[in-house]
Amino acid sequence: MAISLSVVLLLAIILVVMIRGGSIKAGPAIVAALFGFFLASTGVAPTIQHFLDSVANTVNNINF
């Protein structure tokens, strides 16, 4: 849960910076957000969540 919330916050910050910087307009940003919202309610969501959890665990296990 904590990783998921952190990713959402990070993506929200990136989205705001991109809108303010002119890289992306508000319309496409809203469409992308709605796509993500509706994608989360499909049967593909658990697979995507499992993949993101695996990536987070892999990054967490990297030792410098």
Side-chain angles (χ1 to χ4, degrees):
M1 177 69 178
I3 292 175
S4 178
L5 185 60
S6 299
V7 171
V8 169
L9 182 61
L10 176 66
L11 291 174
I13 291 169
I14 291 171
L15 185 61
V16 168
V17 168
M18 289 179 73
I19 290 173
R20 294 197 53 139
S23 299
I24 189 171
K25 301 290 184 196
I30 291 171
V31 170
L34 287 173
F35 173 73
F37 179 77
F38 287 114
L39 182 64
S41 64
T42 66
V44 181
T47 305
I48 295 170
Q49 185 65 46
H50 178 66
F51 171 73
L52 292 176
D53 289 341
S54 298
V55 170
N57 286 333
T58 302
V59 170
N60 191 32
N61 290 332
I62 295 175
N63 294 323
F64 292 103

